[in-house]
Amino acid sequence: MFTRDRLTRRLVQLYTGLALYGASSALLVRSGLGLEPWNVLHQGLAERTGLSIGVVLTLVGAAVLLAWIPLRQRPGLGTVSNVLVIGMAMDAALVLVPDAHGLVPRMTLMLAGIVLNGAATGLYIAARFGPGPRDGLMTGLHQLTGVSIRLVRTGIELTVVATGFALGGTVGIGTLLYALAIGPLAQAFLRVFAVPAASGVSTTVASGQPRGAILRP
């Protein structure tokens, strides 16, 4: 059971995490050194359609959410907010952050984006308002097929990276470093941002591997 103060904190964490997630993705775009797997697809679609990457992110998120219906997944406040907030935050940050020139500034933006993404992931998941639409797709396919979460996630991300790259999305060292670092970073920040429940109620949110719960924009 959560008190009003804890509910307020959870809501603040939810929307702060979503906004920072969008901002972190914008930093990776401006670094030009590679994006998160789903944003490779979003960028590729943006290149082909002329829409902003944030708008594409929102549209893809909504389409993935529709796929929850046959998979019998139930969205939460965090799920719907994910679709609506991250794309807007990403587009806003892209207006404010200029392209980086030179290896050192680009590497700095890349590393800052990855770390900020890990913090945003911890904030969002620890708020406990439901998974992102792409995580629900992953768990739904796992339940439907019986294939492990690890294999389902790997298959989905390889597919979106390959498709996004073919469409013009950026794959690079940032993509690889993100894949290696986001699990440990998310695990660490989940512990930092865990919201304590009322006395006597367990709120363990960082146990086990975070990879099954990591937010995908």
Side-chain angles (χ1 to χ4, degrees):
M1 178 178 180
F2 289 97
T3 66
R4 181 176 298 178
D5 287 345
R6 289 182 177 87
L7 178 60
T8 299
R9 172 178 166 178
R10 291 171 64 212
L11 287 168
V12 170
Q13 282 196 199
L14 170 66
Y15 291 106
T16 300
L18 293 175
L20 290 179
Y21 200 104
S24 70
S25 295
L27 294 182
L28 290 171
V29 170
R30 291 305 189 211
S31 77
L33 294 174
L35 303 177
E36 316 97 292
W38 277 95
N39 273 337
V40 175
L41 175 62
H42 299 150
Q43 188 183 51
L45 289 171
E47 292 286 338
R48 296 291 178 145
T49 62
L51 299 173
S52 73
I53 189 171
V55 170
V56 171
L57 187 154
T58 300
L59 294 175
V60 171
V64 171
L65 192 55
L66 289 176
W68 282 32
I69 297 173
L71 295 175
R72 298 182 180 180
Q73 299 295 294
R74 295 183 178 181
L77 175 64
T79 311
V80 177
S81 298
N82 178 300
V83 174
L84 298 175
V85 174
I86 293 180
M88 291 189 295
M90 187 176 182
D91 277 348
L94 285 170
V95 171
L96 298 173
V97 181
D99 287 324
H101 301 284
L103 183 59
V104 172
R106 293 173 70 194
M107 290 288 291
T108 300
L109 281 182
M110 179 193 70
L111 294 174
I114 292 172
V115 174
L116 184 59
N117 192 281
T121 299
L123 277 165
Y124 170 82
I125 295 175
R128 299 166 61 124
F129 278 111
R134 294 152 186 83
D135 287 330
L137 175 65
M138 175 180 64
T139 56
L141 288 173
H142 159 68
Q143 293 168 7
L144 179 67
T145 65
V147 177
S148 71
I149 286 284
R150 184 183 299 274
L151 287 178
V152 170
R153 177 184 167 187
T154 300
I156 290 173
E157 295 197 348
L158 286 175
T159 300
V160 298
V161 166
T163 304
F165 181 71
L167 292 172
T170 304
V171 176
I173 187 174
T175 310
L176 176 61
L177 287 178
Y178 180 89
L180 294 174
I182 191 60
L185 284 171
Q187 185 71 50
F189 283 112
L190 276 166
R191 296 184 183 279
V192 171
F193 297 123
V195 180
S199 178
V201 179
S202 174
T203 58
T204 302
V205 300
S207 61
Q209 294 297 320
R211 297 188 177 189
I214 287 175
L215 166 68
R216 300 292 172 202

